[in-house]
Amino acid sequence: MEGPPRVLSSKKAIAFCFFVAFGGFLFGYDIGVISGCLIMKDFNNRFGDLINPDGTRTLSASRQSIITSLLSAGTFVGALAQALTSDRFGRRGSILTWSCVFTVGVAIQTATLTSVAQITFGRFVAGLGVGALLAIVPLYNGEAAPKKIRGAMLVLYQLQIITGIFLSYVLDLATHNIQNTASWKIPIGLQLLWGVILISGIMFLPESPRHLLGLKKVDEARAALSDLNGVPGDDPLIQDLIEELELGIREENEGGKATWLECFSTRNLLWKRTGNGMMLQFIQQLNGQNFYYYYGDTFFQSAGTTLSPYVIQTILGGVSVVGTVPALYLIESLGRRKSLLLGAFLEGLCSIIAGLVGHFLLAPPGTPISQLTTRNKQGGNTLIAFAVLHVFSFNMFWGPTPWVYLGESFPLRVRAKSIALGSATNWIWNFLLSFFAPRIAAKIGPLILLIFFGMLVFGYVYVYLFVPETKGLTLEEVDEMYRARIAPWNSDSWKPSGRLDVHHDRDEKVVPQAEVEDKGGNSIKE
């Protein structure tokens, strides 16, 4: 006789994944807060290298570049380095290590008053921590989250990044008029609190059960699965999960210890999977959304507005947060593949319209508002509308989805290394974009958006031909799909062989237990 179906709860897993995604908040807050500090009067007077006629100082473009780019350099190194610590010390230990590194970097920045060398070194150290944490977030959440909500849990990563950016803009707006060091030390120093919160919370975080099973620590993996799924460790469903994971891990580890070169091997199409992860991060950085952050104030002024750069940043940050929220639902309803395709189409449409309108209708930069024609203002309004739509669409689709794909596409043996390569690709192109985009835009203006349009067209074609759908699959089933060499355009309809059937929260039919024990501990048939 069948009893009521036993189910696993996702509530604790959601709480743990949400907390780990706080690493994304650190990154978003850091990149947002420094952009505001670079135009604060007190910050410029203390660190500027150009002396104005009135005796005040201003940061030159080269010094601004040094201060901002050192974070990107640190994130690149940290993203690669975390692969070593995540395998050696575990996901939990690695998060703790790099959270401490980040906090030390913030302390170095906050402690200085006039030393450019100290603040840039502090940003590099903080970047090490941020880059590592940003690679660990999709690594941990991909391994810890149940398959039916894994996409949403990985989207939390992007949502936390955007929330961090938005909050930093709000704080910059609130403090920029203070006429002393508090104007920039408050928003920068507040990162010490974020670091302490992350370090303190690690104490309550379970280790990744997949990582523990990979080390043959079955009892510890059982306890972690119990903690993540909200059921006792001796529950038969936990044993089912362990058996499923162990089977997948044994298949993955047949070739011995993984090396960096294995990430590009032909075994189980690892070269393609790593290449997809890196390519999606590359395309994400060349979507064009960052251009609006760099030149948003120019666009708004062309439309006849007198909003300050701080207000403009806050508006774009708010749009980004609002755009990311629907992704929590769309990533599971539309899936990864359709989200990328739809996002590339919508963003491409926005970029080509904004680029052409900006080139043919906007007044030259620096034109006084009183001299703007009706045609100039209409062009500015159109460009602003499509800039907002572009940023909104990016955060709904291409902002989170490449990170979701990165977190769920690799077998355990190379997961940390492959995610590190994907994350490092993101940071190197983030650095190159921030370095070259202003120079290109200075020569061709809004036509730079046509370059991003071409990249989005390329992205659409690439996703259609090479990126499969991974929605609703366990990490082990994703591995099975690649081994089966399913064509990406047929991956939506592919079904795994289904070795074991363990479910969560009563949303699917549960296979009843074949045997149960009576009250005396004897095994009986149902």
Side-chain angles (χ1 to χ4, degrees), residues 296 298-305 354 357-363 372-388:
T298 302
F299 294 160
F300 277 59
Q301 289 165 8
S302 299
T305 182
V357 167
H359 177 69
F360 289 109
L361 298 183
L362 287 189
L372 294 178
T373 66
T374 301
R375 181 171 177 268
N376 295 150
K377 292 181 179 180
Q378 288 175 342
N381 289 332
T382 302
L383 192 147
I384 289 171
F386 282 96
V388 170

Side-chain angles (χ1 to χ4, degrees), residues 143-193:
E143 292 180 350
K147 65 179 182 180
K148 69 162 192 167
I149 61 168
R150 187 178 63 243
M153 293 302 95
L154 290 166
V155 169
L156 281 175
Y157 173 72
Q158 177 70 11
L159 181 60
Q160 293 267 30
I161 292 175
I162 296 303
T163 302
I165 292 175
F166 178 63
L167 181 59
S168 72
Y169 287 163
V170 172
L171 285 171
D172 281 345
L173 177 63
T175 65
H176 77 279
N177 283 323
I178 300 175
Q179 300 302 312
N180 55 48
T181 58
S183 61
W184 54 273
K185 281 205 171 192
I186 289 176
I188 289 179
L190 196 58
Q191 294 175 100
L192 291 170
L193 175 61

Side-chain angles (χ1 to χ4, degrees), residues 51-320:
I51 301 177
N52 301 316
D54 60 359
T56 60
R57 289 178 175 269
T58 303
L59 285 163
S60 65
S62 61
R63 182 160 289 190
Q64 286 189 38
S65 177
I66 291 172
I67 293 175
T68 55
S69 63
L70 261 291
L71 179 81
S72 297
T75 55
F76 175 77
V77 176
L80 294 175
Q82 69 76 31
L84 305 176
T85 59
S86 293
D87 286 339
R88 183 177 180 82
F89 304 120
R91 287 37 168 162
R92 182 172 176 267
S94 191
I95 293 173
L96 178 60
T97 299
W98 294 107
S99 297
C100 292
V101 171
F102 167 79
T103 306
V104 170
V106 173
I108 293 172
Q109 295 175 67
T110 310
T112 187
L113 289 175
T114 57
S115 173
V116 175
Q118 184 172 335
I119 201 164
T120 51
F121 178 70
R123 284 185 58 74
F124 177 79
V125 174
L128 291 173
V130 166
L133 288 170
L134 289 181
I136 297 170
V137 171
L139 176 64
Y140 181 91
N141 283 4
E143 292 180 350
K147 65 179 182 180
K148 69 162 192 167
I149 61 168
R150 187 178 63 243
M153 293 302 95
L154 290 166
V155 169
L156 281 175
Y157 173 72
Q158 177 70 11
L159 181 60
Q160 293 267 30
I161 292 175
I162 296 303
T163 302
I165 292 175
F166 178 63
L167 181 59
S168 72
Y169 287 163
V170 172
L171 285 171
D172 281 345
L173 177 63
T175 65
H176 77 279
N177 283 323
I178 300 175
Q179 300 302 312
N180 55 48
T181 58
S183 61
W184 54 273
K185 281 205 171 192
I186 289 176
I188 289 179
L190 196 58
Q191 294 175 100
L192 291 170
L193 175 61
W194 310 146
V196 170
I197 290 173
L198 193 55
I199 292 170
S200 302
I202 301 286
M203 307 305 172
F204 305 97
L205 191 72
E207 181 55 89
S208 161
R210 282 180 171 87
H211 174 71
L212 290 170
L213 286 173
L215 297 175
K216 302 188 184 305
K217 297 181 178 180
V218 179
D219 290 339
E220 293 180 37
R222 186 185 303 277
L225 283 169
S226 172
D227 209 5
L228 285 166
N229 292 285
V231 295
D234 58 355
D235 190 289
L237 281 180
I238 297 297
Q239 184 58 38
D240 287 350
L241 281 172
I242 288 177
E243 291 176 4
E244 181 178 10
L245 293 175
E246 284 184 326
L247 180 59
I249 290 169
R250 281 198 302 271
E251 292 176 353
E252 292 171 5
N253 291 336
E254 288 173 352
K257 187 176 181 180
T259 64
W260 286 94
L261 285 178
E262 186 175 336
C263 297
F264 301 97
S265 71
T266 57
R267 183 175 183 265
N268 297 337
L269 291 182
L270 286 176
W271 67 271
K272 181 178 180 181
R273 296 153 79 168
T274 302
N276 278 348
M278 296 174 69
M279 185 61 75
L280 289 179
Q281 295 294 327
F282 161 67
I283 298 170
Q284 184 206 56
Q285 281 301 307
L286 294 179
N287 265 218
Q289 79 289 343
N290 286 333
F291 178 77
Y292 296 117
Y293 285 102
Y294 298 148
Y295 293 92
D297 56 337
T298 302
F299 294 160
F300 277 59
Q301 289 165 8
S302 299
T305 182
T306 57
L307 294 175
S308 75
Y310 295 100
V311 174
I312 293 169
Q313 285 182 330
T314 304
I315 290 172
L316 290 176
V319 170
S320 299

Side-chain angles (χ1 to χ4, degrees), residues 398-434:
W398 272 89
T401 308
W403 293 109
V404 173
Y405 184 88
L406 200 62
E408 62 186 12
S409 295
F410 309 108
L412 180 66
R413 57 185 285 107
V414 298
R415 187 168 296 140
K417 293 180 175 66
S418 293
I419 289 177
L421 290 168
S423 299
T425 302
N426 183 289
W427 307 133
I428 193 65
W429 281 100
N430 179 281
F431 168 76
L432 292 172
L433 181 68
S434 63

